[in-house]
Amino acid sequence: METLFARDDFPNHLFSIPGLDFSNDLFGIRIDGLWFRIGMFADTTQHSDEVKQTVIQRQSMLLKLGCLEEIYDEIHWIPNTLCDLGKPNSYTMEEEDNKVYGYDPFYQFNIGSISVEPLVFKYYVNSRTQLFINPDIQLYFKLEEREPDIWWDPRSGEEVLRRRINESNHLQIIEIRTGYLQKYLYVRQQALLVGHHRIHYLFNPEKDILDTFCGKYRFEKGSSIDGKKVIIQNFRQIDHANDRPYIGRFLHLWFEILPPSISIYDPWIEKSPFNPHEFTLPTQKGEVAPARFNCSAEEVDFDYEGVACKFDETVYFNQEVLSKYESDSRCDVSDSGAVNCGVYWGLQKSVSRIGNDLLSTWVGDFANEVPFGEWVHWKQFAVEPPSSETLRGLNEMPKIPDQINCLIGNLNRLSHALEKLAHAMNVRVTNSFWRGSVESLAARHLKMVYANNASNDEFLKRSTFMSTLVIDGLAPKPLRQLCQGWGKDFHKENDGKPLGSRRLLERVTFSALLMAELQVSMTDFSKFGKKIVEQSESHVESNLQIEIDKLRKRVRCNLAPLAFLYDLRVYGGLAHQPNMKKISIAATKLGLPTTGWHRSHFMKLIDLVTTSVTQARECIQSGTEICIIQHSKNQNN
């Protein structure tokens, strides 16, 4: 990239004294990098104990295109030229023996006969100099102040404009992302004129430095055609009796940044950060440029890379393309794979998941619904169209979002079954038995794309979220109220401690199954039921005890996946070092490997937990039917 000036444009003696060298300012790129400084201010001359002292000042303004030539001779000493930049001004003028009153607001400032608009300028608050940013930038990009002195774009989720203060040298800096500055200049179709000023002081210089320093020297370079101007001047004070001797150098640097050229066919079309005519995605027809279906009038006759195809030609991506948006709180990813980024953009049409690996959409919908800024991201995950056999195999796989919805549906049905049992037992409960939601944080994380090569940590994390969804979603209070329908202390252990939600569900399920299988009345169950469920001395016949033990083993086997979730949360929690030995023991009981868990194992776990919830519901429904029958008999008697 071309620098502002070349070193050969300047005499060597300007760079022979390190403390007075302006090389970094003169030989930098006009506009480059991620951030551009549109304003700076620092004044450290008050620190007289320093050997070297610096004054820094940069202010910027918008200038109409082609006007630099008219004011080129007017821009020289920056403090003089810009001393009133950004200040409201009132004045009177003589017109034909009449005085005319006028007023210029802060956003109007004249250099010679040309009016410029301040973008960043100095103003004074409580005797201190601050830098002011023209609010038009924030308004145009709809920026939000995320924290003091940092403004970000909620559409892209990135900082756009910021104020930084370096306390060590009292330097204030105003920076804007280079891409946003270029876009702002593009829509305004004005140039940015930057006035950059430095003063370097060097106190108590050595004699050899004084010998090479020319005290009365002035250098000027640049032209309006090149959009730049620099003035360098030396100064010195060596013989003054009351002050320390010093030498110094002024830098007055002006340079212009032109806006990108505007399209007369479609001035508001989004400008892509790449050449859209060369951007292609693989399809069955071959490599296709999506920009064929998203072009302005001037681009109709352009040649595109790849082949032509229909609007509804399908393109495929690895589902991991969605991970970026799943982790972004501003975006929502539906079960179908559709992406909705608020009011900013969304890929909604023709989107579908293919198993848990691929995502498909029409190339025309991709071109029109996904903004250019996201195309490179999607390109990274584009894949060749799969064969028909592969598609059939992938579509036969259950999709993780569907599995989670099925689990949540069964948990809601379990809750309704518990409510019916409470009603049949004449027990009044105050809340739902399961209070989870498909919109909960746990449910949304469980539905996220699961990479096939993810590590054990992903399995442990998701299993912990499932424990939160299932077990923490069970409300202990209504479960205790239901247990008290069988006896005052039925919701407690032998030592008198209340049971947790998982153990309460196990007790309710076992009790309902006992009532259904043994045809025990509520009255009889209230007498000896607690001893049975706690395996205490019950004085029952041996054959009956065998039957009870079989039912207890059946319930524990059915609810083993819930016990696994509980153990996983205890031994593999997110907040502490996992106990892999105990996790492996718990996993073995469910038929899972002791380590090396992948997506297929997680899907098996979802299926096991869903089946467990279904079996608990069926046992509770059976107990409810017995309660209803017994209640009907009692009414008839």
Side-chain angles (χ1 to χ4, degrees):
M1 295 184 179
E2 184 184 359
T3 60
L4 276 171
F5 292 96
R7 194 179 187 92
D8 293 342
D9 295 336
F10 297 83
N12 290 330
H13 70 84
L14 290 177
F15 313 108
S16 61
I17 304 174
L20 304 180
D21 188 354
F22 294 126
S23 296
N24 292 335
D25 301 288
L26 296 170
F27 308 138
I29 306 298
R30 194 182 299 250
I31 181 168
D32 185 32
L34 187 61
W35 292 89
F36 181 81
R37 295 180 174 182
I38 52 178
M40 289 192 294
F41 181 80
D43 185 352
T44 60
T45 55
Q46 67 271 25
H47 298 284
S48 58
D49 56 332
E50 296 182 1
V51 175
K52 176 188 172 184
Q53 297 171 14
T54 301
V55 176
I56 304 172
Q57 178 179 327
R58 175 181 285 197
Q59 300 181 80
S60 53
M61 62 222 79
L62 296 175
L63 175 68
K64 293 179 182 179
L65 296 179
C67 290
L68 181 60
E69 183 178 2
E70 296 185 42
I71 63 171
Y72 189 80
D73 293 334
E74 304 289 337
I75 55 174
H76 36 79
W77 303 105
I78 288 174
N80 294 339
T81 306
L82 302 181
C83 62
D84 291 327
L85 184 68
K87 290 183 179 180
N89 182 44
S90 59
Y91 57 88
T92 57
M93 295 178 61
E94 297 285 346
E95 289 188 2
E96 298 180 357
D97 299 329
N98 293 321
K99 286 188 176 182
V100 178
Y101 172 79
Y103 180 83
D104 286 333
F106 83 93
Y107 52 84
Q108 289 180 0
F109 180 76
N110 290 329
I111 300 179
S113 60
I114 300 300
S115 177
V116 300
E117 180 180 337
L119 208 58
V120 173
F121 55 88
K122 296 188 304 179
Y123 77 111
Y124 299 93
V125 178
N126 298 327
S127 302
R128 295 189 60 185
T129 301
Q130 298 285 334
L131 292 177
F132 185 88
I133 308 169
N134 192 323
D136 189 65
I137 301 176
Q138 300 154 29
L139 292 172
Y140 176 73
F141 290 114
K142 299 181 176 66
L143 303 182
E144 298 177 2
E145 192 168 9
R146 191 175 189 178
E147 54 187 87
D149 295 331
I150 294 179
W151 294 267
W152 74 313
D153 185 347
R155 296 169 295 181
S156 61
E158 61 186 6
E159 295 178 8
V160 173
L161 190 64
R162 65 190 183 190
R163 182 199 310 272
R164 296 192 294 116
I165 298 178
N166 188 330
E167 297 292 349
S168 62
N169 58 4
H170 305 273
L171 176 63
Q172 297 180 56
I173 300 173
I174 304 295
E175 295 178 311
I176 186 172
R177 280 191 183 267
T178 302
Y180 281 81
L181 174 60
Q182 291 175 324
K183 184 181 292 187
Y184 185 71
L185 298 180
Y186 172 81
V187 298
R188 294 294 303 268
Q189 277 302 289
Q190 294 197 45
L192 182 72
L193 180 61
V194 178
H196 181 80
H197 175 53
R198 279 186 188 267
I199 308 175
H200 283 176
Y201 296 88
L202 196 59
F203 289 89
N204 300 318
E206 300 291 338
K207 185 177 184 305
D208 58 337
I209 293 179
L210 285 175
D211 292 341
T212 61
F213 183 77
C214 180
K216 296 182 179 181
Y217 179 80
R218 185 180 187 277
F219 178 86
E220 183 172 334
K221 184 80 176 173
S223 69
S224 60
I225 297 176
D226 295 330
K228 57 191 178 184
K229 181 176 185 177
V230 62
I231 301 172
I232 299 175
Q233 186 170 9
N234 292 344
F235 60 90
R236 61 189 293 171
Q237 180 172 286
I238 303 298
D239 303 323
H240 198 284
N242 297 324
D243 295 314
R244 288 187 302 161
Y246 65 85
I247 60 175
R249 184 169 287 158
F250 288 105
L251 170 70
H252 299 272
L253 174 63
W254 298 87
F255 62 94
E256 183 183 36
I257 297 175
L258 297 175
S261 59
I262 199 165
S263 166
I264 61 173
Y265 297 95
D266 192 350
W268 308 121
I269 189 171
E270 179 189 3
K271 296 299 179 182
S272 66
F274 51 85
N275 187 345
H277 309 109
E278 299 175 357
F279 182 100
T280 61
L281 294 174
T283 69
Q284 290 285 5
K285 299 287 186 182
E287 292 289 329
V288 172
R292 291 175 178 273
F293 307 99
N294 181 3
C295 60
S296 63
E298 66 173 334
E299 295 177 314
V300 172
D301 297 329
F302 271 80
D303 292 329
Y304 294 91
E305 290 291 324
V307 300
C309 71
K310 294 183 179 179
F311 185 96
D312 60 356
E313 189 68 31
T314 304
V315 288
Y316 298 88
F317 305 90
N318 188 304
Q319 276 192 37
E320 290 178 51
V321 71
L322 300 176
S323 297
K324 172 183 177 181
Y325 310 109
E326 288 175 332
S327 60
D328 192 331
S329 60
R330 300 166 298 119
C331 301
D332 177 66
V333 178
S334 70
D335 294 347
S336 68
V339 180
N340 179 15
C341 291
V343 299
Y344 308 114
W345 69 275
L347 179 59
Q348 306 286 336
K349 302 173 185 175
S350 69
V351 183
S352 64
R353 296 180 192 257
I354 303 174
N356 296 298
D357 291 284
L358 299 182
L359 187 78
S360 68
T361 188
W362 291 350
V363 65
D365 287 334
F366 173 87
N368 286 281
E369 296 187 356
V370 180
F372 282 135
E374 300 293 324
W375 281 26
V376 174
H377 169 72
W378 285 74
K379 175 78 170 181
Q380 298 176 73
F381 297 93
V383 298
E384 293 290 335
S387 65
S388 56
E389 292 80 8
T390 301
L391 285 176
R392 277 197 300 271
L394 291 175
N395 279 317
E396 289 173 359
M397 294 174 57
K399 301 172 185 176
I400 289 178
D402 294 343
Q403 282 188 295
I404 298 302
N405 288 337
C406 181
L407 171 59
I408 291 174
N410 277 275
L411 286 165
N412 280 317
R413 286 189 282 273
L414 172 64
S415 182
H416 294 323
L418 288 166
E419 290 173 8
K420 290 182 179 179
L421 176 60
H423 181 72
M425 293 171 57
N426 291 319
V427 175
R428 182 176 178 273
V429 293
T430 55
N431 298 106
S432 297
F433 287 90
W434 185 75
R435 296 177 297 179
S437 167
V438 71
E439 301 297 333
S440 66
L441 181 65
R444 286 186 278 121
H445 272 77
L446 288 169
K447 288 183 176 184
M448 286 183 176
V449 174
Y450 196 142
N452 211 16
N453 60 349
S455 66
N456 284 344
D457 288 347
E458 185 67 21
F459 178 85
L460 294 175
K461 181 182 73 174
R462 288 179 182 254
S463 300
T464 304
F465 274 122
M466 191 183 298
S467 176
T468 301
L469 178 71
V470 178
I471 297 176
D472 289 0
L474 290 169
K477 183 176 180 180
L479 284 169
R480 292 184 182 122
Q481 291 172 335
L482 179 57
C483 285
Q484 288 172 349
W486 283 301
K488 181 180 178 182
D489 296 325
F490 203 71
H491 65 291
K492 297 180 180 180
E493 298 185 33
N494 282 332
D495 58 5
K497 293 181 179 179
L499 295 168
S501 57
R502 180 184 65 84
R503 292 289 305 281
L504 286 168
L505 177 63
E506 182 180 317
R507 179 159 292 188
V508 170
T509 304
F510 183 39
S511 302
L513 185 61
L514 283 174
M515 292 176 59
E517 295 293 328
L518 303 183
Q519 301 290 306
V520 181
S521 68
M522 281 288 296
T523 303
D524 292 338
F525 193 88
S526 298
K527 293 178 181 178
F528 61 86
K530 192 170 190 293
K531 295 181 179 180
I532 293 176
V533 297
E534 292 180 350
Q535 302 184 69
S536 58
E537 187 65 32
S538 57
H539 305 289
V540 296
E541 297 178 8
S542 59
N543 290 338
L544 180 58
Q545 185 65 54
I546 292 173
E547 188 175 353
I548 291 172
D549 290 342
K550 286 183 179 179
L551 293 176
R552 180 182 291 109
K553 184 177 180 180
R554 174 181 161 187
V555 170
R556 286 182 176 174
C557 182
N558 289 347
L559 298 181
L562 303 189
F564 170 79
L565 292 180
Y566 178 81
D567 290 341
L568 197 72
R569 183 173 57 178
V570 173
Y571 302 123
L574 302 178
H576 53 76
Q577 183 69 26
N579 187 328
M580 296 305 296
K581 183 178 179 180
K582 292 191 175 183
I583 294 173
S584 299
I585 294 172
T588 303
K589 292 178 182 179
L590 286 185
L592 295 172
T594 57
T595 187
W597 300 299
H598 299 296
R599 186 175 66 199
S600 60
H601 303 121
F602 175 68
M603 295 171 69
K604 179 180 179 180
L605 179 60
I606 300 175
D607 187 57
L608 288 170
V609 174
T610 303
T611 302
S612 178
V613 172
T614 302
Q615 291 170 334
R617 173 174 55 83
E618 291 172 348
C619 292
I620 291 166
Q621 287 175 334
S622 300
T624 303
E625 292 173 3
I626 294 300
C627 286
I628 293 173
I629 292 172
Q630 291 177 357
H631 183 69
S632 178
K633 286 181 178 179
N634 292 337
Q635 282 186 332
N636 292 333
N637 292 335

PDB file of all heavy atoms in Angstrom, residues 390-403:
ATOM      1  N   THR A 390     -26.832 -41.195   0.472  1.00  0.00           N
ATOM      2  CA  THR A 390     -26.396 -40.503   1.685  1.00  0.00           C
ATOM      3  C   THR A 390     -27.524 -39.667   2.269  1.00  0.00           C
ATOM      4  O   THR A 390     -27.725 -39.650   3.498  1.00  0.00           O
ATOM      5  CB  THR A 390     -25.186 -39.605   1.374  1.00  0.00           C
ATOM      6  OG1 THR A 390     -24.118 -40.406   0.859  1.00  0.00           O
ATOM      7  CG2 THR A 390     -24.711 -38.872   2.623  1.00  0.00           C
ATOM      8  N   LEU A 391     -28.273 -38.996   1.401  1.00  0.00           N
ATOM      9  CA  LEU A 391     -29.397 -38.186   1.879  1.00  0.00           C
ATOM     10  C   LEU A 391     -30.439 -39.041   2.582  1.00  0.00           C
ATOM     11  O   LEU A 391     -30.976 -38.663   3.628  1.00  0.00           O
ATOM     12  CB  LEU A 391     -30.033 -37.426   0.718  1.00  0.00           C
ATOM     13  CG  LEU A 391     -29.266 -36.206   0.180  1.00  0.00           C
ATOM     14  CD1 LEU A 391     -29.965 -35.628  -1.029  1.00  0.00           C
ATOM     15  CD2 LEU A 391     -29.134 -35.144   1.269  1.00  0.00           C
ATOM     16  N   ARG A 392     -30.737 -40.212   2.002  1.00  0.00           N
ATOM     17  CA  ARG A 392     -31.715 -41.093   2.629  1.00  0.00           C
ATOM     18  C   ARG A 392     -31.222 -41.543   3.997  1.00  0.00           C
ATOM     19  O   ARG A 392     -31.979 -41.557   4.981  1.00  0.00           O
ATOM     20  CB  ARG A 392     -31.982 -42.313   1.749  1.00  0.00           C
ATOM     21  CG  ARG A 392     -32.998 -42.069   0.639  1.00  0.00           C
ATOM     22  CD  ARG A 392     -33.529 -43.370   0.080  1.00  0.00           C
ATOM     23  NE  ARG A 392     -32.447 -44.188  -0.489  1.00  0.00           N
ATOM     24  CZ  ARG A 392     -32.047 -44.112  -1.747  1.00  0.00           C
ATOM     25  NH1 ARG A 392     -32.633 -43.245  -2.561  1.00  0.00           N
ATOM     26  NH2 ARG A 392     -31.074 -44.873  -2.185  1.00  0.00           N
ATOM     27  N   GLY A 393     -29.943 -41.905   4.074  1.00  0.00           N
ATOM     28  CA  GLY A 393     -29.399 -42.350   5.353  1.00  0.00           C
ATOM     29  C   GLY A 393     -29.424 -41.253   6.406  1.00  0.00           C
ATOM     30  O   GLY A 393     -29.768 -41.503   7.571  1.00  0.00           O
ATOM     31  N   LEU A 394     -29.071 -40.025   6.011  1.00  0.00           N
ATOM     32  CA  LEU A 394     -29.069 -38.922   6.965  1.00  0.00           C
ATOM     33  C   LEU A 394     -30.480 -38.569   7.428  1.00  0.00           C
ATOM     34  O   LEU A 394     -30.698 -38.264   8.608  1.00  0.00           O
ATOM     35  CB  LEU A 394     -28.401 -37.692   6.341  1.00  0.00           C
ATOM     36  CG  LEU A 394     -26.892 -37.786   6.084  1.00  0.00           C
ATOM     37  CD1 LEU A 394     -26.396 -36.540   5.349  1.00  0.00           C
ATOM     38  CD2 LEU A 394     -26.130 -37.948   7.394  1.00  0.00           C
ATOM     39  N   ASN A 395     -31.443 -38.612   6.513  1.00  0.00           N
ATOM     40  CA  ASN A 395     -32.819 -38.261   6.860  1.00  0.00           C
ATOM     41  C   ASN A 395     -33.475 -39.301   7.752  1.00  0.00           C
ATOM     42  O   ASN A 395     -34.464 -39.007   8.431  1.00  0.00           O
ATOM     43  CB  ASN A 395     -33.647 -38.058   5.591  1.00  0.00           C
ATOM     44  CG  ASN A 395     -33.444 -36.677   4.993  1.00  0.00           C
ATOM     45  OD1 ASN A 395     -33.416 -35.679   5.713  1.00  0.00           O
ATOM     46  ND2 ASN A 395     -33.295 -36.608   3.672  1.00  0.00           N
ATOM     47  N   GLU A 396     -32.952 -40.518   7.740  1.00  0.00           N
ATOM     48  CA  GLU A 396     -33.504 -41.553   8.618  1.00  0.00           C
ATOM     49  C   GLU A 396     -33.043 -41.379  10.059  1.00  0.00           C
ATOM     50  O   GLU A 396     -33.621 -41.955  10.975  1.00  0.00           O
ATOM     51  CB  GLU A 396     -33.091 -42.939   8.105  1.00  0.00           C
ATOM     52  CG  GLU A 396     -33.807 -43.341   6.818  1.00  0.00           C
ATOM     53  CD  GLU A 396     -33.253 -44.633   6.234  1.00  0.00           C
ATOM     54  OE1 GLU A 396     -32.300 -45.193   6.829  1.00  0.00           O
ATOM     55  OE2 GLU A 396     -33.775 -45.092   5.194  1.00  0.00           O
ATOM     56  N   MET A 397     -31.989 -40.607  10.256  1.00  0.00           N
ATOM     57  CA  MET A 397     -31.488 -40.370  11.616  1.00  0.00           C
ATOM     58  C   MET A 397     -32.423 -39.416  12.353  1.00  0.00           C
ATOM     59  O   MET A 397     -32.874 -38.422  11.774  1.00  0.00           O
ATOM     60  CB  MET A 397     -30.083 -39.756  11.577  1.00  0.00           C
ATOM     61  CG  MET A 397     -29.009 -40.650  11.015  1.00  0.00           C
ATOM     62  SD  MET A 397     -27.447 -39.739  10.870  1.00  0.00           S
ATOM     63  CE  MET A 397     -27.228 -39.197  12.578  1.00  0.00           C
ATOM     64  N   PRO A 398     -32.729 -39.697  13.627  1.00  0.00           N
ATOM     65  CA  PRO A 398     -33.525 -38.726  14.399  1.00  0.00           C
ATOM     66  C   PRO A 398     -32.731 -37.444  14.608  1.00  0.00           C
ATOM     67  O   PRO A 398     -31.516 -37.480  14.854  1.00  0.00           O
ATOM     68  CB  PRO A 398     -33.774 -39.449  15.730  1.00  0.00           C
ATOM     69  CG  PRO A 398     -32.694 -40.467  15.828  1.00  0.00           C
ATOM     70  CD  PRO A 398     -32.362 -40.880  14.423  1.00  0.00           C
ATOM     71  N   LYS A 399     -33.390 -36.299  14.507  1.00  0.00           N
ATOM     72  CA  LYS A 399     -32.728 -35.010  14.673  1.00  0.00           C
ATOM     73  C   LYS A 399     -32.756 -34.624  16.148  1.00  0.00           C
ATOM     74  O   LYS A 399     -33.763 -34.806  16.827  1.00  0.00           O
ATOM     75  CB  LYS A 399     -33.414 -33.937  13.830  1.00  0.00           C
ATOM     76  CG  LYS A 399     -33.425 -34.268  12.337  1.00  0.00           C
ATOM     77  CD  LYS A 399     -34.281 -33.286  11.566  1.00  0.00           C
ATOM     78  CE  LYS A 399     -34.385 -33.693  10.100  1.00  0.00           C
ATOM     79  NZ  LYS A 399     -35.284 -32.824   9.335  1.00  0.00           N
ATOM     80  N   ILE A 400     -31.650 -34.077  16.610  1.00  0.00           N
ATOM     81  CA  ILE A 400     -31.540 -33.731  18.027  1.00  0.00           C
ATOM     82  C   ILE A 400     -32.642 -32.768  18.468  1.00  0.00           C
ATOM     83  O   ILE A 400     -33.266 -32.987  19.517  1.00  0.00           O
ATOM     84  CB  ILE A 400     -30.139 -33.162  18.328  1.00  0.00           C
ATOM     85  CG1 ILE A 400     -29.096 -34.278  18.254  1.00  0.00           C
ATOM     86  CG2 ILE A 400     -30.098 -32.498  19.705  1.00  0.00           C
ATOM     87  CD1 ILE A 400     -27.675 -33.824  18.483  1.00  0.00           C
ATOM     88  N   PRO A 401     -32.965 -31.687  17.725  1.00  0.00           N
ATOM     89  CA  PRO A 401     -34.069 -30.812  18.168  1.00  0.00           C
ATOM     90  C   PRO A 401     -35.390 -31.564  18.297  1.00  0.00           C
ATOM     91  O   PRO A 401     -36.162 -31.309  19.240  1.00  0.00           O
ATOM     92  CB  PRO A 401     -34.132 -29.744  17.067  1.00  0.00           C
ATOM     93  CG  PRO A 401     -32.750 -29.702  16.509  1.00  0.00           C
ATOM     94  CD  PRO A 401     -32.285 -31.121  16.532  1.00  0.00           C
ATOM     95  N   ASP A 402     -35.655 -32.502  17.370  1.00  0.00           N
ATOM     96  CA  ASP A 402     -36.892 -33.285  17.456  1.00  0.00           C
ATOM     97  C   ASP A 402     -36.882 -34.188  18.684  1.00  0.00           C
ATOM     98  O   ASP A 402     -37.910 -34.364  19.350  1.00  0.00           O
ATOM     99  CB  ASP A 402     -37.071 -34.124  16.190  1.00  0.00           C
ATOM    100  CG  ASP A 402     -37.306 -33.277  14.948  1.00  0.00           C
ATOM    101  OD1 ASP A 402     -37.649 -32.088  15.113  1.00  0.00           O
ATOM    102  OD2 ASP A 402     -37.127 -33.789  13.835  1.00  0.00           O
ATOM    103  N   GLN A 403     -35.722 -34.764  18.993  1.00  0.00           N
ATOM    104  CA  GLN A 403     -35.618 -35.621  20.167  1.00  0.00           C
ATOM    105  C   GLN A 403     -35.854 -34.830  21.451  1.00  0.00           C
ATOM    106  O   GLN A 403     -36.530 -35.309  22.367  1.00  0.00           O
ATOM    107  CB  GLN A 403     -34.245 -36.287  20.219  1.00  0.00           C
ATOM    108  CG  GLN A 403     -34.073 -37.465  19.271  1.00  0.00           C
ATOM    109  CD  GLN A 403     -32.755 -38.177  19.524  1.00  0.00           C
ATOM    110  OE1 GLN A 403     -31.693 -37.605  19.319  1.00  0.00           O
ATOM    111  NE2 GLN A 403     -32.827 -39.409  19.976  1.00  0.00           N
TER     112      GLN A 403
END
